[in-house]
Amino acid sequence: MASSSSSSSNHRNPEVRKDIISNRWIIFSPARSKRPSDFKSKSPIHSNPNPNPNPNQSCPFCIGHEHECAPEILRVPPDGPDWNIRVIQNLYPALSRDLRFGSNHPTRSGLVLDGFGFHDVVIETPVHWVQLSDLSPLEIGHVFLAHTMRIKQVASNEDIKYVQVFKNHGASAGASMSHSHSQILAVPIIPTNVSTRLESMKCYFDQKGKCCLCESHSENLLINSSTYFVSLVPFAASFPFEMWIVPKYHSAHFHELDDEKAVDLGGLLKLMLKKMSLQLNNPPFNFMIHTSPLHANESELAYTHWFIQIVPQLTGIAGFEMGTGCYINPVFPEDAAKVLREVNVPE
């Protein structure tokens, strides 16, 4: 476990920092909270103390219950009754794949589009009690590659502009099923947060001549690194103990990930999830893969850089955050990174 961080951070003055990626201001106010090393989830997710290969006979995501799910899109491996990963249609999709976007023209006001898109579920394991962090780096890598396979499929539809891969872990993080899964939502628009991120990255590139995520990161914000990736707490983290995993190499699109890098990424993600669980009392969390629009032009590829954002659910957002878009974080990023660096994950 991590050693206790110095309580000196509680005596620091508040700071307001600019997140150059989201173009958002963040308030750091450590006096509102406890020592960084004392942060724990108030609603931890409890592991099954008596693992059973089939503990939930009613779970449609478990192996043997495939007939209870929405139609399958792909599986890994592709042939045979046994599988490790399945990508299926979401039974309750946010958008409809049955609408044809060819007739999807904006209204005269330009404010309404037909709800065309693809909403899929990636079942990450056939076994109910196995979580993503229980898988090996190779197995997690295969989950990432399943994401990329599906993104490449939907990219053939020119009406799809952006694909969001995300994982909600735990009910308070938005998960409606306890069986380990992630989701893919392909939309016919470029969402506002994505546009803002791209504009911010372009502004930095125009000023500095470099990609902002290719720049060397401050040592006191780093957590761990692997051959191809680095994990860190961002300089202006919106949430306490928020983590990013960033490719060390320049890459605009997540779906260009190859087999070797996928396994390397799987190992680093596993380590981060283990550290988060040990230090923060196995909190519910969300992770989001921030990538570039599917049909980005060559000039955009020079300054856009994909990354994974991991957010443990430790604090809520309230009226100030909703009203201003400015978040209050009670933990300085340097303190969070130090605590996470010092977490000792058993082999």
Side-chain angles (χ1 to χ4, degrees):
M1 294 293 291
S3 62
S4 292
S5 178
S6 169
S7 62
S8 62
S9 62
N10 293 76
H11 303 293
R12 291 174 63 178
N13 290 327
E15 288 183 8
V16 183
R17 296 185 181 184
K18 181 69 171 292
D19 178 356
I20 63 169
I21 305 297
S22 68
N23 197 31
R24 177 186 292 142
W25 289 97
I26 310 297
I27 297 173
F28 292 91
S29 185
R32 293 164 58 89
S33 189
K34 58 196 89 175
R35 293 182 303 172
S37 58
D38 291 337
F39 256 84
K40 306 291 178 187
S41 171
K42 295 178 182 177
S43 54
I45 299 173
H46 298 290
S47 300
N48 190 336
N50 182 26
N52 181 318
N54 200 10
N56 188 350
Q57 296 291 337
S58 63
C59 174
F61 289 177
C62 286
I63 192 165
H65 291 254
E66 293 84 357
H67 62 284
E68 299 175 24
C69 293
E72 179 178 294
I73 298 167
L74 63 89
R75 66 169 58 190
V76 179
D79 301 313
D82 295 330
W83 52 271
N84 298 323
I85 300 164
R86 288 209 314 142
V87 180
I88 63 172
Q89 296 181 20
N90 194 313
L91 195 58
Y92 305 101
L95 295 169
S96 173
R97 70 191 69 225
D98 296 324
L99 293 174
R100 289 272 54 87
F101 200 81
S103 60
N104 189 359
H105 299 294
T107 62
R108 292 178 183 177
S109 66
L111 299 179
V112 179
L113 297 173
D114 288 335
F116 168 73
F118 299 93
H119 191 176
D120 304 329
V121 175
V122 180
I123 305 172
E124 298 163 342
T125 169
V127 182
H128 190 86
W129 54 265
V130 173
Q131 296 300 324
L132 186 64
S133 60
D134 297 322
L135 301 178
S136 70
L138 177 63
E139 291 169 327
I140 298 175
H142 286 163
V143 172
F144 283 129
L145 292 174
H147 293 145
T148 66
M149 282 189 283
R150 182 55 182 152
I151 293 172
K152 290 173 184 175
Q153 288 180 349
V154 300
S156 63
N157 189 314
E158 293 185 357
D159 293 320
I160 295 298
K161 308 302 183 187
Y162 189 77
V163 181
Q164 181 66 63
V165 176
F166 63 98
K167 180 177 177 68
N168 303 329
H169 179 70
S172 62
S176 58
M177 300 283 289
S178 59
H179 193 121
S180 188
H181 68 285
S182 47
Q183 298 182 59
I184 301 173
L185 190 48
V187 297
I189 57 170
I190 299 177
T192 302
N193 282 358
V194 177
S195 297
T196 300
R197 169 164 52 87
L198 297 178
E199 290 167 6
S200 298
M201 288 180 161
K202 181 180 186 302
C203 182
Y204 187 95
F205 184 84
D206 289 343
Q207 292 177 0
K208 306 283 188 178
K210 299 177 182 178
C211 163
C212 57
L213 288 182
C214 285
E215 288 276 62
S216 59
H217 303 283
S218 175
E219 289 290 331
N220 58 359
L221 293 173
L222 299 180
I223 307 171
N224 288 95
S225 66
S226 62
T227 303
Y228 298 109
F229 299 90
V230 62
S231 60
L232 55 89
V233 178
F235 170 76
S238 297
F239 306 98
F241 291 92
E242 174 184 343
M243 295 174 280
W244 291 6
I245 298 180
V246 181
K248 293 179 180 178
Y249 59 98
H250 185 73
S251 177
H253 286 115
F254 162 72
H255 66 264
E256 295 174 348
L257 189 71
D258 64 27
D259 292 17
E260 180 182 0
K261 292 182 177 68
V263 175
D264 188 59
L265 177 60
L268 189 56
L269 177 65
K270 178 182 176 74
L271 179 61
M272 292 303 97
L273 295 181
K274 290 289 189 183
K275 286 195 170 198
M276 181 174 66
S277 178
L278 287 168
Q279 178 60 40
L280 304 176
N281 195 26
N282 197 21
F285 68 85
N286 306 92
F287 85 58
M288 294 71 66
I289 299 178
H290 299 287
T291 186
S292 299
L294 288 177
H295 311 297
N297 59 48
E298 285 297 320
S299 63
E300 291 174 333
L301 300 181
Y303 59 79
T304 57
H305 194 127
W306 71 267
F307 64 97
I308 299 177
Q309 178 189 24
I310 307 168
V311 179
Q313 293 294 324
L314 300 171
T315 57
I317 62 171
F320 176 78
E321 290 85 354
M322 294 179 190
T324 64
C326 179
Y327 291 81
I328 301 176
N329 188 339
V331 181
F332 275 99
E334 295 81 4
D335 295 330
K338 181 178 187 297
V339 169
L340 291 168
R341 273 197 305 272
E342 295 176 354
V343 177
N344 182 23
V345 177
E347 293 293 333

